[in-house]
Each structure stands twice: as C-alpha cells, then as structure tokens.
Amino acid sequence: SAPGKGSCFSFELPAEVAEAPRLRPDPTTLGGRSLDIVVVDDDPANLTLALRQLEQLGHQARGSTQPVEALEWVAKAAPDLLIVD
C-alpha cells in the first residue's frame, strides 16, 4: 500500500442456499392456533404494515394509533399478545 493509493483486498465466504421463509407459523410452536394480537403504533403506516404481516401469519390482529382505545380493548377481552411502539 502507498499513501494516497489505497489497497485492494479480496476473500471468499463459503455459503449454502437458504430455504425459503415460511409464511405460516409452525403449528407445533403455537399449539396449532392463531393468536389474538393488539398492536399500538402512533405511525399509521407502521401500524398497517404490522397488522398485514400478522394477518399473513394467520393471527387475528387489530390495531390502533390511540393507546386509550387499545387499553379499552384489553380491558374487555385480554389478547394473547400486546405489541406497543
């Protein structure tokens, strides 16, 4: 290497092709059931994205940008999971 000229390096990493990701949950990890999930996020775009992803995984998901509304839902029927931003 010389000042102002830099250096050139190369290397190889052996790797295998990964399996395609599963879009459905493994029934053995969730007891074969979908979860009831409440999501709270103040950003509507992030909330929509999270809800779509959870629904694609087979879960019942509902969301709100308002924490008070989500607390009312939780008080009426406790969800399996609460995701809060």
Side-chain angles (χ1 to χ4, degrees):
S1 179
K5 300 234 180 190
S7 300
C8 180
F9 299 94
S10 65
F11 58 92
E12 292 184 23
L13 294 176
E16 295 179 17
V17 176
E19 291 182 28
R22 289 197 297 212
L23 297 178
R24 297 280 177 207
D26 180 349
T28 61
T29 60
L30 294 175
R33 68 186 187 98
S34 67
L35 299 178
D36 177 29
I37 303 173
V38 172
V39 181
V40 182
D41 194 320
D42 60 344
D43 184 317
N46 289 342
L47 178 62
T48 299
L49 180 62
L51 292 173
R52 284 183 184 167
Q53 289 176 333
L54 291 168
E55 288 169 357
Q56 285 180 348
L57 290 171
H59 301 296
Q60 299 291 330
R62 57 191 158 156
S64 178
T65 58
Q66 303 299 318
V68 173
E69 180 179 37
L71 285 174
E72 290 172 359
W73 294 343
V74 170
K76 289 179 184 175
D80 297 310
L81 180 63
L82 177 63
I83 300 173
V84 181
D85 173 31

